[in-house]
Amino acid sequence: MKRLKVSNNVIRRLPRYLRKLDELTAQGITRVSSSELGQQLGLTPSQIRQDFSCFGEFGQQGYGYHVPALREQVASILGMDRHYCAILIGVGNIGHALIDNFCFSDWGFQLSAAFDVKPELIGTTFNKVPVMSMEDLPRYLDENQVDIAVLTVPKDAAVPVTQILTSHGVEAIWNFTNVELTEPNSSTIVENIHFSDSLLSLSYYVSERIDERNARAAREARKG
Amino acid sequence: MKRLKVSNNVIRRLPRYLRKLDELTAQGITRVSSSELGQQLGLTPSQIRQDFSCFGEFGQQGYGYHVPALREQVASILGMDRHYCAILIGVGNIGHALIDNFCFSDWGFQLSAAFDVKPELIGTTFNKVPVMSMEDLPRYLDENQVDIAVLTVPKDAAVPVTQILTSHGVEAIWNFTNVELTEPNSSTIVENIHFSDSLLSLSYYVSERIDERNARAAREARKG
């Protein structure tokens, strides 16, 4: 694919477009205009047209977008058709939950192995994913193409494990450890899961509602 | 607080501002301009000024923002100073991981109790949080002020548990179940954790790098 440099904000919206298009598909909707899409996503129609224009010509003036075609295009832009290979490091609570419940293959990924230090886990299998010893990680990385590593180790292990990964050619890390992994000029791609961003948004909406309710009550008290 | 209606996009940026301001504080930086902040966050200075202007007068023309003061203001806008009470439903892998590793109090929340159906968990304590029986949930909700519920139950339980929560006055749910919880016109505030959005962004960046590398190799092959 020929690539223009696309802003991070656009890239962050692509998975949301994908979810919305999947939702429309599930509802049996095959055509959508940029204004309908915008309304449902809280974006302006021109923003949406601009976002898609980064990747070529989508949709047809006056006819909107063909949902299945646009879905395929967004999926392809995101790399979902490339069948990346993932491994997971650290089969604690979060690691275990991801192996059992997160459907990597739905997003185009193959989760091929997990690694841990606990002897009682090594040699077992969760959801068809074998758990191997951390000692075998370097050799595994040398012998297999691994595109991304899911990092679900305890905080203390985050940096040393990252060093093993990067020194054996892993360029992308999905980081659940809340430890800042990238140094300036590092070429490793790190995507952090920030639970707190989500909780704080919720906190905002709760506060907004409470304040509105209190303001309404105060108005009514003045009237009465 | 007097509130204007603020767009979701602005609200979603607030936790990112908070993280950045915490990072600057940790680096001992006490003053930052909107252009420095913009550069570090991939936003334009005018975007940043516009975002903050939704909430009043921050910063001073030509002097930038005072980092600790702005941090306090953003935290307050997000409701972090309101000490909301949270409970968690479903002490499986993800629930357990959140109780043990996610520091609710850092974000202004108090996690007061967890609930599960498994007899072996009921009566135990994780990280000082008592696990109670699901049967006790309605009474607990009637007797205690609960502002948000963290929903980490299996998919099948998501809707019935939500019904118990909302019918006993819980208005906000932090939803880890990947089940769509809100019906049209529902007054419940639901914040979903979408792991896939994060993984797909990573997938995009990996694809971008591979394509750039291939394009470079092709150019060099043509030259050679």
Side-chain angles (χ1 to χ4, degrees):
Chain A
M1 201 192 307
K2 205 180 152 207
R3 286 195 179 263
L4 298 166
K5 200 72 198 168
V6 174
S7 89
N8 285 333
N9 291 331
V10 177
I11 296 162
R12 295 283 157 188
R13 280 193 287 273
L14 292 173
R16 285 179 60 204
Y17 289 132
L18 187 93
R19 271 195 281 120
K20 179 50 70 181
L21 292 166
D22 280 342
E23 211 180 293
L24 295 173
T25 304
Q27 292 164 12
I29 295 166
T30 56
R31 202 156 271 286
V32 70
S33 68
S34 50
S35 42
E36 287 161 335
L37 212 49
Q39 205 167 23
Q40 294 191 36
L41 288 164
L43 300 166
T44 64
S46 81
Q47 171 95 79
I48 287 180
R49 285 192 297 267
Q50 227 174 66
D51 282 0
F52 290 138
S53 75
C54 298
F55 304 100
E57 292 284 330
F58 296 157
Q60 206 185 334
Q61 187 78 45
Y63 288 87
Y65 299 105
H66 184 236
V67 172
L70 185 60
R71 200 269 176 199
E72 277 318 288
Q73 286 167 306
V74 173
S76 168
I77 291 165
L78 287 167
M80 285 171 62
D81 50 3
R82 297 180 183 218
H83 307 294
Y84 290 127
C85 175
I87 59 168
L88 182 144
I89 326 280
V91 190
N93 287 312
I94 289 208
H96 198 152
L98 287 171
I99 296 175
D100 275 356
N101 307 319
F102 183 78
C103 200
F104 283 88
S105 61
D106 279 358
W107 313 106
F109 282 79
Q110 193 213 340
L111 183 61
S112 64
F115 294 84
D116 205 290
V117 290
K118 288 188 215 80
E120 65 271 27
L121 290 175
I122 295 161
T124 63
T125 296
F126 293 104
N127 200 10
K128 296 184 191 155
V129 177
V131 182
M132 303 180 187
S133 164
M134 274 302 286
E135 286 175 16
D136 295 331
L137 178 60
R139 195 161 47 88
Y140 188 91
L141 294 173
D142 292 341
E143 291 174 1
N144 297 276
Q145 168 69 28
V146 173
D147 301 295
I148 77 148
V150 185
L151 200 63
T152 47
V153 294
K155 275 183 198 301
D156 293 349
V159 170
V161 170
T162 300
Q163 277 159 358
I164 298 173
L165 291 167
T166 54
S167 66
H168 288 266
V170 177
E171 292 184 302
I173 294 174
W174 197 20
N175 178 24
F176 285 75
T177 67
N178 254 337
V179 174
E180 201 67 46
L181 291 181
T182 37
E183 289 163 28
N185 307 318
S186 156
S187 67
T188 309
I189 304 169
V190 178
E191 168 70 22
N192 299 295
I193 283 276
H194 289 294
F195 289 130
S196 58
D197 283 20
S198 173
L199 181 63
L200 289 180
S201 301
L202 184 60
S203 178
Y204 179 92
Y205 292 115
V206 172
S207 306
E208 182 180 54
R209 175 168 299 179
I210 291 172
D211 288 351
E212 280 168 0
R213 192 174 290 155
N214 290 343
R216 202 161 45 235
R219 276 196 306 275
E220 271 158 28
R222 276 198 302 274
K223 267 196 270 174
Chain B
M1 202 190 308
K2 206 180 151 206
R3 287 197 178 261
L4 300 167
K5 200 73 198 168
V6 174
S7 89
N8 285 333
N9 290 332
V10 177
I11 296 162
R12 295 285 157 187
R13 280 193 287 274
L14 292 173
R16 284 180 61 206
Y17 289 132
L18 187 90
R19 270 196 281 119
K20 180 50 72 182
L21 293 166
D22 280 341
E23 213 179 293
L24 295 174
T25 304
Q27 290 164 14
I29 295 167
T30 56
R31 202 156 271 286
V32 70
S33 68
S34 50
S35 42
E36 287 162 336
L37 211 50
Q39 205 167 23
Q40 294 191 37
L41 289 163
L43 300 166
T44 64
S46 79
Q47 171 95 81
I48 287 181
R49 285 193 296 266
Q50 227 173 67
D51 283 1
F52 289 138
S53 74
C54 299
F55 304 101
E57 292 284 331
F58 296 156
Q60 204 185 334
Q61 187 79 42
Y63 288 88
Y65 299 104
H66 184 236
V67 172
L70 186 60
R71 199 273 176 197
E72 277 317 287
Q73 286 167 305
V74 173
S76 167
I77 292 164
L78 287 166
M80 285 170 63
D81 50 3
R82 297 181 183 218
H83 308 292
Y84 290 127
C85 174
I87 58 168
L88 182 144
I89 326 279
V91 190
N93 287 311
I94 290 207
H96 198 152
L98 287 171
I99 296 175
D100 275 355
N101 306 319
F102 184 78
C103 200
F104 283 88
S105 59
D106 279 358
W107 313 107
F109 282 79
Q110 192 214 340
L111 184 61
S112 63
F115 294 84
D116 205 290
V117 291
K118 289 189 213 80
E120 66 271 27
L121 290 176
I122 295 161
T124 63
T125 296
F126 293 105
N127 200 10
K128 296 185 192 155
V129 177
V131 182
M132 304 179 186
S133 163
M134 274 302 285
E135 287 175 15
D136 296 330
L137 178 60
R139 195 162 45 90
Y140 188 91
L141 294 173
D142 292 342
E143 291 174 1
N144 296 275
Q145 168 68 28
V146 173
D147 301 295
I148 77 149
V150 185
L151 200 63
T152 47
V153 295
K155 275 183 199 303
D156 294 349
V159 171
V161 170
T162 299
Q163 278 159 357
I164 298 173
L165 291 166
T166 53
S167 67
H168 289 266
V170 177
E171 293 184 300
I173 294 174
W174 197 21
N175 178 24
F176 284 76
T177 68
N178 254 337
V179 174
E180 201 67 47
L181 291 181
T182 36
E183 289 163 29
N185 307 320
S186 155
S187 68
T188 310
I189 304 170
V190 178
E191 168 71 23
N192 299 294
I193 282 277
H194 287 294
F195 289 130
S196 58
D197 283 20
S198 172
L199 181 63
L200 289 179
S201 300
L202 185 60
S203 178
Y204 179 93
Y205 292 115
V206 171
S207 306
E208 181 180 54
R209 175 168 297 179
I210 291 171
D211 289 352
E212 279 168 0
R213 191 174 291 154
N214 289 343
R216 202 162 44 234
R219 276 197 306 276
E220 271 157 27
R222 275 199 303 275
K223 268 196 268 175

